[in-house]
Amino acid sequence: MVTEEASAGSGANRGVLYVVATPIGNLDDITHRAVKVLSTVDVIAAEDTRTTKILLDHYRIRKPMLSYFSRNEGTRAPQLIARLHQGQSVALVSDAGTPGISDPAYVVVRQAVEEGIPVVPIPGPTAFISALVVSGLPTDRFVFEGFLPQKKGRRTKFEQLKAERRTVVLYESPHRIRKTLAEILEHLGDRRVVVAREMTKKFEEIVRGRVHAVIEELGRKEPRGEYVVILEGTDARERDSDTDSGM
Ligand code: SAM
């Protein structure tokens, strides 16, 4: 077993890969430690350098940046590993939230771990955690499914989720949110659901109710922005079925 001392903030930040969480919409949602790490590393590997530049400008951070996105992970990861072996420190960020959560990170993190390079998390926002904790659905056990498969495997996934006892957390785009809710109603029934839109942003909105009612509510205007969908599991349905008439 290999253990590492988290060296962030101690000044000993050479040859370390920092996985840094950044805001999911509100630029104030970043930790002091994240700002410190972004200000002191040798290079920032960003999913989209233009998006990250807005954040860096806001905090007056000037650092060299490299792109690291899903389609260049395979070639970029070994380049970052080479820099880390040379003693450079690298901060990995995505467009929003925590890298590795429905965002690139896994390939370079795995390589760093395999090569004995210290990997240090700098925790911060994740959209689904923000949505889950205000959902009003059970948070003691949950499963994060990320984006559902768009075509192949979609039906099978719904079949699997039917029997899921834990709260189910999904990511969804504005283009598919209505379709996904309609399919949830069809395959999983009229259970309780929470749709959290634009968390931490100006138009943050949380809609709670049975699936049919939430579909109705979302039908009132064209869906816009980013969505987290939280579904109650079968256990919660059984637990509440005697007393519950809605939400
Ligand atoms: N790495 C991010 C995280 O830590 O949450 C997730 C990135 S994933 C590519 C983008 C998806 O996350 C969006 O389509 C949406 O489902 C969800 N998301 C991100 N920001 C959000 C926000 N402010 N409000 C609601 N959902 C959000």
Side-chain angles (χ1 to χ4, degrees), residues 51-67:
T51 304
T52 298
K53 188 173 182 304
I54 297 168
L55 178 73
L56 298 185
D57 285 349
H58 185 79
Y59 287 97
R60 297 195 169 82
I61 298 169
R62 281 173 196 273
K63 279 289 160 187
M65 277 197 277
L66 286 170
S67 64

Side-chain angles (χ1 to χ4, degrees), residues 16 18 38 42 59 73 89 99 128 139 141 151-152 167 171 205 207 220 227 238 243-244:
V16 173
Y18 296 98
L38 292 172
D42 293 302
Y59 287 97
E73 265 189 299
S89 54
F128 82 82
T139 54
R141 300 276 188 281
K151 290 196 179 100
K152 194 166 175 282
T167 300
Y171 279 169
E205 182 182 26
V207 182
R220 293 189 213 284
Y227 291 84
E238 282 162 20
T243 51
D244 183 45

Side-chain angles (χ1 to χ4, degrees), residues 24-25 47 94 96-103 125-128 147 170-173 196-201 226-228:
I24 56 167
E47 186 181 8
S94 61
T98 304
I101 302 299
S102 297
D103 265 345
T126 305
F128 82 82
F147 292 98
L170 306 171
Y171 279 169
E172 196 46 279
S173 76
R197 182 174 88 91
E198 296 286 86
M199 301 294 296
T200 78
K201 303 187 202 178
E226 303 192 277
Y227 291 84
V228 181

Side-chain angles (χ1 to χ4, degrees), residues 171-242:
Y171 279 169
E172 196 46 279
S173 76
H175 321 291
R176 277 186 300 271
I177 185 74
R178 285 173 174 165
K179 175 176 185 279
T180 294
L181 287 170
E183 289 175 336
I184 286 171
L185 183 61
E186 181 191 338
H187 295 284
L188 309 183
D190 201 13
R191 56 180 75 193
R192 288 187 296 180
V193 66
V194 177
V195 173
R197 182 174 88 91
E198 296 286 86
M199 301 294 296
T200 78
K201 303 187 202 178
K202 189 174 172 190
F203 296 108
E204 178 175 297
E205 182 182 26
I206 300 168
V207 182
R208 301 177 178 88
R210 299 269 164 198
V211 184
H212 81 272
V214 171
I215 289 174
E216 246 173 62
E217 180 63 31
L218 262 66
R220 293 189 213 284
K221 54 181 190 267
E222 199 53 39
R224 282 217 177 111
E226 303 192 277
Y227 291 84
V228 181
V229 177
I230 306 181
L231 277 172
E232 73 175 346
T234 52
D235 263 9
R237 301 185 83 188
E238 282 162 20
R239 217 184 291 161
D240 296 345
S241 58
D242 293 342

Side-chain angles (χ1 to χ4, degrees), residues 77-139:
Q79 295 167 0
L80 294 176
I81 296 293
R83 284 173 180 259
L84 289 156
H85 276 311
Q86 287 161 13
Q88 290 190 24
S89 54
V90 177
L92 178 66
V93 298
S94 61
D95 283 356
T98 304
I101 302 299
S102 297
D103 265 345
Y106 171 67
V107 175
V108 68
V109 168
R110 189 194 59 211
Q111 286 183 19
V113 169
E114 279 170 2
E115 302 204 19
I117 294 165
V119 184
V120 175
I122 307 296
T126 305
F128 82 82
I129 294 289
S130 303
L132 176 66
V133 296
V134 297
S135 67
L137 293 175
T139 54

